[in-house]
Amino acid sequence: MTIFSETGMKRRSFLAGTGAALATPFLTRSARSQSKQLILPTYGGSYQEMIQAAYTDPFTQETGVEVIFSGVPDFARLKAQVTAGNVEWDVFEAGGAWFPAGSKEGLFEPLDPGIITETDLIIGENKDYAPFYDTPYGIAWNSGKYDGSAVPRSCAEFWDVDRFPGTRSLRGRADFVLEIALVADGVDPADLYPLDLDRAFAALERLKPSIPKWAESTSQLVTLLTANEVDYDYVPNGRVRATEDTATPLAISMDQAFISHEYIGVVKGTPRRDTAMEFVAFALRPDRQAAFSELISYLPGNRKALDLVSEDAKKWLPDMTTGKHIVQNDDWWAAEFASTQQRFQEFLLL
Amino acid sequence: MNDISEKRRRPVSGRARIPLDGFGFILPSLILFAAVFAVPIGYVVMFSFQTDEGASLDGYRWILDSNLFGRVLWTSVQIALLATLVSVILGYLLALFLYRLSPRKRAVGLAFVLFPFWTSILVKSYSLTVLLGREGVVNSTLGWFLGYNPELPLIFNRIGVLIGMSNHLVPFVVFPVLANLLAQDRNLGQAAAIMGASPFTIFRRVTLPLSTPAILAATLMCLIISFGFFVTPALLGGRTDVMLANLIDLFTRETLNWTVASAIAVVLLTASIVLVLALSRLTGQQKAV
């Protein structure tokens, strides 16, 4: 997605989570595993540490399969691997419209309901991927600058520069921005799709003068706040939590979150198909999903895991019962991303 | 290309009579380049003329129809030319300064040039954010003198891009120019001085003309590098500072439209080649003078 690693989590919570992962009940060694290795891409950094703590290390413990990380999740590379018949990755994990688009292009193996026990999670036209986790973005600010008593807490307030003066930032990508613009303009989050593009761009045009920088990456969204380059932007809650014990802590409102999905699937043509299926099955298990949520404070793709998440971690998560949150529809984006992003790019240039 | 290498290549004695002259020496790198460069480029050219349905000119049709491409191309040309100009001037001055130092001090000075050269461009871009930001080092230092923070807009605009890019490009100017200056015959300057030339005249009529080949080589290098710049405009630029490489990235990695991505790449490559040819012609003429 970008040239930068995706997350920044503090070491303490990582260590705490490792402990939790080790404390989970030891399960029987799977007899099904056929190969001793599995290769997957990763965003690296502390994100990789958390993936290891919640998923790959316990998986190796249970099955004896060694998990090797190679490269960054990149749709172009995935497509190149599959079309060239030279598959390196066995399991693929990525966010946004890549999965529905890749599913249409036949880049994934249909998930085997014989191996994947959480069958109700299997989605896609070819039943070939599953939700891994959801990333909730909320309005964040620098707690050194604002005490949180008079900050925007909804999309409409984010747009209201008269009531909440100050600069803003958003990602320089249509699929991180248009839904927020529409809800700010008064569209009910439940009736967003198909997106009314003209209305969205008109709303963006109004906020444009208040956005000195359209962030290139998620990490830049954080940097812009910590360096006081902008006053408010939409940041994943985990990124804000990671600043808790730093010199420039940020704060976030989860009142009206923007929720994007991350999916997991098995790469078409992998020689280690069954092992890869087993890993996906393992990764969807509520206990693993909860362990990961505990570390990163994103919503588990398998919502059953929510019951296992501690209250301390839950306070970072958006309350999904309010109906105020924007839940992204990646099927719409898979069909419309190319043309919409081009239009967005033109909007930025003018 | 420039006269230093020319001088170095001249054999000192007659023992350099190896049968593998010229072509034989470059053969290994030629093979390597054919494998890792020419073949992939061939694929890119091929991709640019086909879609999933077969041969097609859709990629190039997109380029002609889209106002995105024209704008981005124009931005790229502007940024590349400006960044090159700034870098060549700064780099030349820096090389002149280093040239005048004693060899020992020069080594220290060169280390300072090399540090940014060795640093990842990503790291440099982030560091510049810290320096140039609204409350960055530059603005807060100025604020300390002025009594208020001037909040100079040094970042997230064209200025930020130029600062970031010249920071990266200056070493590419310093090295060839310094090598050229050091190779110049110091007697020429002394002769000019004896004839009554002022230091500025010596520079203008002796040093500068003699270093033109190095300047042209540096200009060429800067133009080629900056024309394909990617990270710096994305991190330090404003919303209008989008370059062709950013556009190629959009089509390659986000929309997976490799036909358009390849077509843009082919145009970028062709433009760069035309630039190289034009400039090496200039260099050639310079040598003939």
Side-chain angles (χ1 to χ4, degrees):
Chain A
M1 184 180 301
T2 67
I3 36 188
F4 314 110
S5 70
E6 259 307 294
T7 185
M9 191 60 52
K10 61 186 179 196
R11 185 157 291 266
R12 207 188 56 197
S13 64
F14 158 67
L15 289 172
T18 317
L22 291 173
T24 49
F26 189 73
L27 286 139
T28 46
R29 192 172 282 260
S30 168
R32 288 195 61 116
S33 65
Q34 298 184 332
S35 42
K36 289 287 158 207
Q37 275 189 351
L38 208 57
I39 302 174
L40 42 142
T42 178
Y43 295 113
S46 43
Y47 179 83
Q48 183 181 339
E49 290 176 350
M50 288 184 274
I51 290 281
Q52 281 173 320
Y55 296 114
T56 59
D57 288 351
F59 182 69
T60 307
Q61 266 186 24
E62 262 186 39
T63 61
V65 175
E66 185 195 359
V67 180
I68 297 161
F69 292 102
S70 169
V72 176
D74 182 324
F75 197 21
R77 264 183 77 178
L78 173 76
K79 189 183 170 186
Q81 286 179 19
V82 175
T83 45
N86 184 8
V87 175
E88 181 198 0
W89 296 323
D90 303 304
V91 173
F92 192 71
E93 173 238 310
W98 282 358
F99 258 93
S103 172
K104 263 200 193 83
E105 297 204 24
L107 301 184
F108 306 108
E109 294 278 351
L111 291 179
D112 187 339
I115 302 179
I116 283 133
T117 42
E118 307 280 333
T119 43
D120 51 326
L121 291 177
I122 300 174
I123 50 173
E125 247 171 86
N126 304 315
K127 299 278 166 215
D128 53 359
Y129 60 99
F132 191 33
Y133 58 82
D134 289 344
T135 313
Y137 288 70
I139 299 171
W141 59 88
N142 190 327
S143 1
K145 191 163 184 180
Y146 297 103
D147 62 6
S149 56
V151 293
R153 287 176 183 272
S154 67
C155 299
E157 290 178 351
F158 188 80
W159 243 251
D160 192 341
V161 287
D162 296 326
R163 254 183 80 201
F164 303 97
T167 52
R168 271 85 163 143
S169 182
L170 290 166
R171 278 291 304 278
R173 271 177 57 130
D175 55 340
F176 284 90
V177 166
L178 296 190
E179 283 95 338
I180 298 174
L182 283 168
V183 172
D185 204 42
V187 178
D188 189 302
D191 316 320
L192 274 170
Y193 301 92
L195 298 184
D196 182 343
L197 292 179
D198 291 336
R199 186 170 173 182
F201 280 104
L204 281 173
E205 203 65 64
R206 292 203 307 276
L207 196 65
K208 206 179 192 178
S210 302
I211 300 187
K213 177 65 185 171
W214 296 79
E216 172 61 23
S217 64
T218 313
S219 37
Q220 193 171 34
L221 284 170
V222 176
T223 316
L224 287 169
L225 287 179
T226 51
N228 277 325
E229 288 298 327
V230 300
D231 295 287
Y232 308 107
D233 61 19
Y234 268 86
V235 181
N237 58 353
R239 293 301 191 95
V240 171
R241 189 179 162 193
T243 67
E244 237 185 342
D245 294 333
T246 65
T248 46
L250 305 179
I252 192 166
S253 162
M254 278 288 140
D255 291 2
Q256 189 160 45
F258 168 69
I259 293 162
S260 79
H261 312 284
E262 186 92 1
Y263 304 100
I264 190 167
V266 173
V267 177
K268 187 89 174 181
T270 159
R272 294 173 285 266
R273 175 187 170 276
D274 281 10
T275 315
M277 293 286 171
E278 273 182 42
F279 180 78
V280 172
F282 182 84
L284 296 175
R285 250 167 47 184
D287 65 318
R288 297 296 89 225
Q289 290 261 309
F292 188 65
S293 267
E294 203 70 49
L295 295 174
I296 201 164
S297 45
Y298 293 165
L299 284 162
N302 186 350
R303 293 288 204 273
K304 280 184 223 161
L306 272 177
D307 300 336
L308 305 173
V309 175
S310 73
E311 287 306 314
D312 188 45
K314 255 186 202 155
K315 70 169 196 258
W316 288 95
L317 297 174
D319 175 3
M320 295 306 286
T321 58
T322 64
K324 284 175 71 184
H325 306 300
I326 302 167
V327 180
Q328 191 157 46
N329 179 338
D330 289 318
D331 290 321
W332 187 86
W333 279 106
E336 306 293 335
F337 177 75
S339 58
T340 312
Q341 178 61 24
Q342 265 190 62
R343 180 167 172 186
F344 183 71
Q345 203 61 263
E346 285 170 26
F347 156 81
L348 289 184
L349 284 175
L350 293 173
Chain B
M1 195 112 151
N2 67 45
D3 44 12
I4 319 158
S5 54
E6 203 81 353
K7 252 180 221 160
R8 289 219 182 105
R9 239 192 294 137
R10 216 163 283 150
V12 190
S13 66
R15 70 180 176 87
R17 225 173 282 129
I18 304 167
L20 272 170
D21 199 37
F23 190 72
F25 285 126
I26 62 161
L27 196 62
S29 52
L30 214 58
I31 293 170
L32 182 75
F33 262 76
V36 304
F37 190 71
V39 172
I41 292 287
Y43 269 108
V44 170
V45 175
M46 203 178 79
F47 277 142
S48 76
F49 287 104
Q50 65 183 35
T51 61
D52 290 341
E53 281 86 47
S56 146
L57 284 173
D58 281 4
Y60 295 94
R61 206 165 288 137
W62 181 87
I63 286 179
L64 288 179
D65 291 347
S66 125
N67 46 17
L68 199 57
F69 180 83
R71 251 169 216 289
V72 173
L73 177 68
W74 175 227
T75 312
S76 307
V77 171
Q78 276 181 315
I79 292 181
L81 287 175
L82 270 172
T84 302
L85 184 73
V86 172
S87 308
V88 168
I89 292 174
L90 291 178
Y92 195 94
L93 293 174
L94 188 54
L96 264 183
F97 170 75
L98 291 170
Y99 164 69
R100 275 146 204 253
L101 294 177
S102 67
R104 184 180 249 162
K105 283 183 182 159
R106 190 184 302 134
V108 178
L110 268 175
F112 280 109
V113 179
L114 279 166
F115 263 126
F117 188 66
W118 285 332
T119 310
S120 145
I121 192 159
L122 211 59
V123 174
K124 281 193 281 190
S125 297
Y126 270 113
S127 320
L128 283 171
T129 315
V130 177
L131 283 178
L132 306 174
R134 194 162 71 162
E135 293 174 11
V137 175
V138 172
N139 271 324
S140 31
T141 311
L142 282 174
W144 191 74
F145 283 112
L146 295 169
Y148 68 97
N149 187 339
E151 299 205 355
L152 295 178
L154 300 172
I155 206 173
F156 307 139
N157 51 31
R158 192 59 55 87
I159 296 169
V161 177
L162 289 179
I163 294 175
M165 284 176 72
S166 40
N167 177 276
H168 182 75
L169 292 171
V170 159
F172 291 95
V173 181
V174 170
F175 296 131
V177 172
L178 184 63
N180 169 290
L181 292 176
L182 289 171
Q184 282 184 18
D185 191 341
R186 290 191 184 220
N187 290 329
L188 293 172
Q190 276 168 7
I194 290 166
M195 303 298 280
S198 68
F200 181 71
T201 311
I202 298 173
F203 172 73
R204 195 172 56 86
R205 305 214 25 204
V206 180
T207 316
L208 189 62
L210 280 174
S211 57
T212 337
I215 295 177
L216 286 171
T219 307
L220 191 63
M221 195 124 72
C222 287
L223 273 177
I224 293 167
I225 298 173
S226 57
F227 210 39
F229 243 68
F230 176 77
V231 177
T232 308
L235 286 178
L236 300 179
R239 60 184 163 82
T240 53
D241 299 310
V242 177
M243 297 189 70
L244 282 179
N246 303 82
L247 206 56
I248 294 175
D249 174 66
L250 166 70
F251 283 104
T252 319
R253 299 197 310 135
E254 303 294 355
T255 70
L256 286 202
N257 189 337
W258 292 355
T259 309
V260 171
S262 304
I264 301 172
V266 169
V267 172
L268 180 60
L269 184 69
T270 315
S272 304
I273 291 174
V274 169
L275 241 143
V276 173
L277 289 180
L279 268 153
S280 37
R281 263 193 100 126
L282 257 175
T283 325
Q285 278 171 7
Q286 195 60 41
K287 252 169 126 182
V289 171

